[in-house]
Amino acid sequence: GFRDHNSAILDTARRMMLKAPGGRILASEAVKDSCCEHWEWKRFSSQGWIPSAEGSTDGVHPLIQGIPLLGRTREMAHLKSSFEYFSKWHTHKPVYIFGRSGSGKTRLVDEFIHSISGPDTITVTLSNCLWDQPPLGMWHRLMDSGEFDPYVAIMERIRGMVARGELILRIEDLHWADEASLKLLEQLH
């Protein structure tokens, strides 16, 4: 009865987790069908589907919506303490979060930003997903094509965002950042 049913579910979940690439969720056909209007899906193999970040209607994946963050109490406390220190003294060393693919780094940062964000908070995610990106590639979200001096334009945009509210720069994959991007980041201290 009940025990056999749970064993079958756990066995299916274990099998799917072993097939999923690192850092991804592999979903069954039934799960995909139950939340397909909220998320786009890519076929991974005959074993299941992988949710795609593109196409989210609310920014939260339906498979984790409402599930509390577990096992990150110490890390969350450190982030909040660092933020409180910065809020009081307007200075703090950067906080680096690192770990293996799929270990929950993105979820931890998402939860932290959500917990501290107010109505005037502006969050900008800068990404370094390419190892051969052009100079200032990390800052491409803040640049317009054809700008004469992209450095000045980026700094002006950052100052404008700070003037409108609290700015959180979220930088992903900093280890891939080009030298020019790192130099501009140093200027923000």
PDB file of all heavy atoms in Angstrom, residues 54-66:
ATOM      1  N   GLU A  54      14.112  30.795 -19.527  1.00  0.00           N
ATOM      2  CA  GLU A  54      13.385  31.689 -20.402  1.00  0.00           C
ATOM      3  C   GLU A  54      11.902  31.335 -20.328  1.00  0.00           C
ATOM      4  O   GLU A  54      11.534  30.180 -20.308  1.00  0.00           O
ATOM      5  CB  GLU A  54      13.842  31.545 -21.860  1.00  0.00           C
ATOM      6  CG  GLU A  54      15.272  31.916 -22.100  1.00  0.00           C
ATOM      7  CD  GLU A  54      16.225  30.771 -21.821  1.00  0.00           C
ATOM      8  OE1 GLU A  54      15.899  29.622 -22.099  1.00  0.00           O
ATOM      9  OE2 GLU A  54      17.302  31.050 -21.296  1.00  0.00           O
ATOM     10  N   GLY A  55      11.085  32.340 -20.296  1.00  0.00           N
ATOM     11  CA  GLY A  55       9.661  32.097 -20.348  1.00  0.00           C
ATOM     12  C   GLY A  55       8.981  32.043 -18.997  1.00  0.00           C
ATOM     13  O   GLY A  55       7.785  31.822 -18.929  1.00  0.00           O
ATOM     14  N   SER A  56       9.691  32.257 -17.916  1.00  0.00           N
ATOM     15  CA  SER A  56       9.042  32.268 -16.605  1.00  0.00           C
ATOM     16  C   SER A  56       8.087  33.443 -16.537  1.00  0.00           C
ATOM     17  O   SER A  56       8.432  34.553 -16.909  1.00  0.00           O
ATOM     18  CB  SER A  56      10.086  32.396 -15.503  1.00  0.00           C
ATOM     19  OG  SER A  56       9.477  32.694 -14.279  1.00  0.00           O
ATOM     20  N   THR A  57       6.880  33.193 -16.063  1.00  0.00           N
ATOM     21  CA  THR A  57       5.916  34.288 -15.970  1.00  0.00           C
ATOM     22  C   THR A  57       6.030  35.041 -14.663  1.00  0.00           C
ATOM     23  O   THR A  57       5.640  36.180 -14.570  1.00  0.00           O
ATOM     24  CB  THR A  57       4.475  33.758 -16.131  1.00  0.00           C
ATOM     25  OG1 THR A  57       4.254  32.757 -15.126  1.00  0.00           O
ATOM     26  CG2 THR A  57       4.258  33.184 -17.508  1.00  0.00           C
ATOM     27  N   ASP A  58       6.580  34.408 -13.616  1.00  0.00           N
ATOM     28  CA  ASP A  58       6.660  35.085 -12.331  1.00  0.00           C
ATOM     29  C   ASP A  58       8.049  35.037 -11.716  1.00  0.00           C
ATOM     30  O   ASP A  58       8.251  35.492 -10.600  1.00  0.00           O
ATOM     31  CB  ASP A  58       5.641  34.512 -11.352  1.00  0.00           C
ATOM     32  CG  ASP A  58       5.807  33.016 -11.151  1.00  0.00           C
ATOM     33  OD1 ASP A  58       6.799  32.444 -11.645  1.00  0.00           O
ATOM     34  OD2 ASP A  58       4.938  32.424 -10.494  1.00  0.00           O
ATOM     35  N   GLY A  59       9.034  34.471 -12.415  1.00  0.00           N
ATOM     36  CA  GLY A  59      10.400  34.446 -11.922  1.00  0.00           C
ATOM     37  C   GLY A  59      10.709  33.332 -10.943  1.00  0.00           C
ATOM     38  O   GLY A  59      11.848  33.135 -10.580  1.00  0.00           O
ATOM     39  N   VAL A  60       9.716  32.602 -10.492  1.00  0.00           N
ATOM     40  CA  VAL A  60       9.934  31.513  -9.557  1.00  0.00           C
ATOM     41  C   VAL A  60       9.479  30.223 -10.212  1.00  0.00           C
ATOM     42  O   VAL A  60       8.367  30.127 -10.713  1.00  0.00           O
ATOM     43  CB  VAL A  60       9.137  31.731  -8.247  1.00  0.00           C
ATOM     44  CG1 VAL A  60       9.319  30.564  -7.298  1.00  0.00           C
ATOM     45  CG2 VAL A  60       9.560  33.030  -7.589  1.00  0.00           C
ATOM     46  N   HIS A  61      10.345  29.253 -10.212  1.00  0.00           N
ATOM     47  CA  HIS A  61       9.995  27.994 -10.844  1.00  0.00           C
ATOM     48  C   HIS A  61       8.908  27.298 -10.044  1.00  0.00           C
ATOM     49  O   HIS A  61       8.984  27.217  -8.824  1.00  0.00           O
ATOM     50  CB  HIS A  61      11.214  27.078 -10.980  1.00  0.00           C
ATOM     51  CG  HIS A  61      10.941  25.950 -11.898  1.00  0.00           C
ATOM     52  ND1 HIS A  61      10.219  24.858 -11.495  1.00  0.00           N
ATOM     53  CD2 HIS A  61      11.224  25.772 -13.187  1.00  0.00           C
ATOM     54  CE1 HIS A  61      10.080  24.034 -12.512  1.00  0.00           C
ATOM     55  NE2 HIS A  61      10.694  24.574 -13.544  1.00  0.00           N
ATOM     56  N   PRO A  62       7.863  26.800 -10.696  1.00  0.00           N
ATOM     57  CA  PRO A  62       6.763  26.174  -9.966  1.00  0.00           C
ATOM     58  C   PRO A  62       7.179  24.952  -9.150  1.00  0.00           C
ATOM     59  O   PRO A  62       6.508  24.602  -8.191  1.00  0.00           O
ATOM     60  CB  PRO A  62       5.767  25.791 -11.062  1.00  0.00           C
ATOM     61  CG  PRO A  62       6.497  25.878 -12.337  1.00  0.00           C
ATOM     62  CD  PRO A  62       7.639  26.822 -12.134  1.00  0.00           C
ATOM     63  N   LEU A  63       8.289  24.305  -9.495  1.00  0.00           N
ATOM     64  CA  LEU A  63       8.713  23.139  -8.728  1.00  0.00           C
ATOM     65  C   LEU A  63       9.297  23.513  -7.368  1.00  0.00           C
ATOM     66  O   LEU A  63       9.335  22.703  -6.460  1.00  0.00           O
ATOM     67  CB  LEU A  63       9.741  22.318  -9.515  1.00  0.00           C
ATOM     68  CG  LEU A  63       9.228  21.654 -10.781  1.00  0.00           C
ATOM     69  CD1 LEU A  63      10.367  20.947 -11.491  1.00  0.00           C
ATOM     70  CD2 LEU A  63       8.115  20.677 -10.470  1.00  0.00           C
ATOM     71  N   ILE A  64       9.770  24.768  -7.226  1.00  0.00           N
ATOM     72  CA  ILE A  64      10.333  25.161  -5.931  1.00  0.00           C
ATOM     73  C   ILE A  64       9.547  26.273  -5.265  1.00  0.00           C
ATOM     74  O   ILE A  64       9.855  26.654  -4.144  1.00  0.00           O
ATOM     75  CB  ILE A  64      11.820  25.568  -6.056  1.00  0.00           C
ATOM     76  CG1 ILE A  64      11.989  26.781  -6.964  1.00  0.00           C
ATOM     77  CG2 ILE A  64      12.672  24.410  -6.489  1.00  0.00           C
ATOM     78  CD1 ILE A  64      13.386  27.359  -6.943  1.00  0.00           C
ATOM     79  N   GLN A  65       8.516  26.779  -5.917  1.00  0.00           N
ATOM     80  CA  GLN A  65       7.710  27.845  -5.342  1.00  0.00           C
ATOM     81  C   GLN A  65       7.084  27.368  -4.031  1.00  0.00           C
ATOM     82  O   GLN A  65       6.465  26.314  -3.970  1.00  0.00           O
ATOM     83  CB  GLN A  65       6.625  28.260  -6.326  1.00  0.00           C
ATOM     84  CG  GLN A  65       5.883  29.501  -5.927  1.00  0.00           C
ATOM     85  CD  GLN A  65       4.980  29.965  -7.047  1.00  0.00           C
ATOM     86  OE1 GLN A  65       4.496  29.176  -7.830  1.00  0.00           O
ATOM     87  NE2 GLN A  65       4.757  31.254  -7.112  1.00  0.00           N
ATOM     88  N   GLY A  66       7.284  28.115  -2.980  1.00  0.00           N
ATOM     89  CA  GLY A  66       6.707  27.773  -1.691  1.00  0.00           C
ATOM     90  C   GLY A  66       7.536  26.805  -0.869  1.00  0.00           C
ATOM     91  O   GLY A  66       7.219  26.540   0.276  1.00  0.00           O
TER      92      GLY A  66
END
